[in-house]
Amino acid sequence: MTANHLEIQIFQLEGMGCVACAKSIETAINKVKGVEECIVNYALAEAKVTYHSQDINTKVIEEVVRKAGYQAYVIDAENINQDKQTKENQRKEQKLVNKFKVGVIISTFLVITSLPMMTGLHIPFIPIWLHNPWLQLILTTPVLFWCGQSFFTGAISALRHSSSNMNTLVALGTGSAYFYSVAVTLFPQFFDNQGLQGEVYYESAAVIITLILLGRLLEHRAKSQTSEGIKKLLQLEAKTARVIRDGFEQEIPIVQVRINDFIIVRPGEKIPVDGQIVKGESSIDESMVTGESMPVKKTIGDEVIGATINKTGSFTFRATKIGKDTVLAQIIELVKQAQNSKAPIQKFADRVTGYFVPIVIIIAVITFLAWWLIGNNFILALVASINVLIIACPCALGLATPTSIMVGTGLGANHGILIKDAGSLELAHKIKTIVLDKTGTLTVGKPIVTDFITVDGTESEKDILTLVGILEHNSEHLIAQAIVEYAEKQEIHFNFSQNNLTINNFEAISGCGVQGKTNNKLVQVGTKVWFQELGINTTKLESLCHKEVFDKTNAWIAIDGKIMGLFALADALKVSSVSAVKNLQKQGLEVIMLTGDNYATAEKIAQQVGIRRFFAQVRPEEKTAKIKEIQQNTGKFVAMVGDGINDAPALAQADVGFAIGTGTDVAIASSDITLISGDLEGIVSAIKLSKATMKNIKENLFFAYIYNVIGIPIATGIFYPFFGLLLNPIIAGGAMAFSSVSVVTNALRLKTFKL
């Protein structure tokens, strides 16, 4: 078998009642020949299966799940009908609501009519005949076998496959109470002759089923909320696009958009797909993708992201990415991938719960035998064993980790932080050393004008900028683009419909610069060496400049053969770099810079951002070794932050790799966490999110375990001889149901966390 045939498929699962069910499915699929790995997410009710397609297909996996007593069907990520899925979820919820309503009505009646028997008091408005066992039998039967049908079918299915799950515990507990009561109803003389109290527990069986249904209903609604992030992202997508085809403007469904289509976007409209502006300019609200609150100005040549909102002007752009390749589609896929993965702490919880159900059954059997044979109390034996089975259901354990992971990754996505898997989210808070690439990470990654100096001072600046801007508009060089951007920021507007804004005899001279004529003036922009070769005297301008100017890249300006000024350009720091480094250091993290640039440049950037330790002139192939060396020397968790292809191996080597979302696809693919906006403050936010999520998971595990740690000993009746303390099965059922609710509610609290 070769890795070339490995495929990954997501299956939707039905019929799971608890994490033990998820474990059963996971085990069944992992046993199949050809399956590389199966991870079942109970909270999402999904199975992620990696398999060798030459050995098996999806039908085989679906059949294996069916034989295990559950249902599985393939999720087609591209063609999934969200409306249909939402309606299906609503249908399931309504079915639960209907069963719960019936359970509440009958259970309430049974409890009220049983009050005289339970309290030993005479209650005038409750006639004794209402507590008739035959009436209770008739009323309880539909609650048990219609409202609670899934528990019994699930338990029988598990039994067929020599396994056990939550359904097993519920079915054994309520079934014992029900069938014991049926026996008392049918043969009351037998129990009287045996000296047993002929009490029935119909109300306990009905109330327990109803309470567990309530727990499932609340759990279903809470789990729906945890996936709100993905639903909202899916709703962001535009439904139609206004394209130009055959010279005409036409509105078409977004699924019909093709690569290289020219699309028109007007103010207030959503941008349909990813692309590049070819005409016009505007300000675009990218907050839903990058988390950046301020609109971003875009002009010709700039990239636009599908689902973002056009604020001011109209523009035309060329579609470059459609369908599953758009930024939004990749965000959704990464979020789903993270929510379908398991953190190490969850794998530990899964191992514990895998042994939990059989251990609980053993405890229940021992409890029953101890009270019946040793304590000589059959009624107490029955009640105590039912309590153990009911209170120990492991639902809360199964929900403790995945619900927090779902909320945490969704919260991150809403703030432009894409977390690839749950393991990365767990590891991020353990980071002690952050290694930052320089170019494109700490710096903008392209030259910008830092100084503009003219021979005549400010009085001629605008005229010179206009002439140089017209000339540089004809060049695609990065320096030319930087100069044009600088001119536009100084409010120099270029209207090329005017004759005086045209360039004649434009020429780009390799390694020297560019020149051309406009308005009968010869404009030249280039290197000092070229100007000296042309006989242009630069002495006058040199005397006006500080030494720091010449440490940068210089573009000299001459008009009609006379020196007029120069631009100093450098790869400037990002606005957020200084504050981000400071915030990381405040959190006790060591920040290191790693760059292929020369020592002098590296030292200057390090000083500007406050980094004390850096490595310069590191070749791309050496970056991975340097990360490995830092890991070995410190023995601590190391994160790498980068944006280029040359950073990809180092990102993969680091314990946690952060990719700048404005960087290359290769870097993003090699990383664990992607910062869509490219803002380094995202690292600080990601670490905060990791800490908050892990704290939330630990709280959830505490809630899940504390119910069992306190509840099981009380349920066994161990305190009964000393304090007369014995749980009513109804209370045990309520405790079990609300343990799940408390866990999910606590996980949802994470949604309010401020990054």
Side-chain angles (χ1 to χ4, degrees), residues 143-165:
V143 175
L144 213 71
F145 299 111
W146 180 68
C147 299
Q149 178 190 8
S150 61
F151 303 121
F152 290 92
T153 54
I156 292 167
S157 179
L159 183 62
R160 281 179 187 155
H161 297 89
S162 304
S163 63
S164 55
N165 52 37

Side-chain angles (χ1 to χ4, degrees), residues 519-573:
N519 203 17
N520 293 321
K521 290 183 178 180
L522 174 64
V523 182
Q524 295 167 306
V525 180
T527 65
K528 182 181 177 182
V529 173
W530 182 41
F531 276 26
Q532 287 173 340
E533 289 174 357
L534 294 171
I536 298 172
N537 189 345
T538 60
T539 308
K540 185 177 180 182
L541 182 60
E542 287 179 60
S543 63
L544 299 173
C545 300
H546 295 291
K547 178 183 177 299
E548 290 80 16
V549 170
F550 300 117
D551 289 336
K552 303 173 185 178
T553 300
N554 298 145
W556 298 74
I557 307 162
I559 297 174
D560 288 334
K562 290 178 64 177
I563 192 73
M564 297 301 292
L566 69 75
F567 294 104
L569 300 99
D571 183 8
L573 284 175

Side-chain angles (χ1 to χ4, degrees), residues 466-478:
T466 303
L467 292 171
V468 172
I470 297 166
L471 176 71
E472 295 291 15
H473 254 294
N474 290 266
S475 173
E476 294 181 354
H477 196 280
L478 284 174

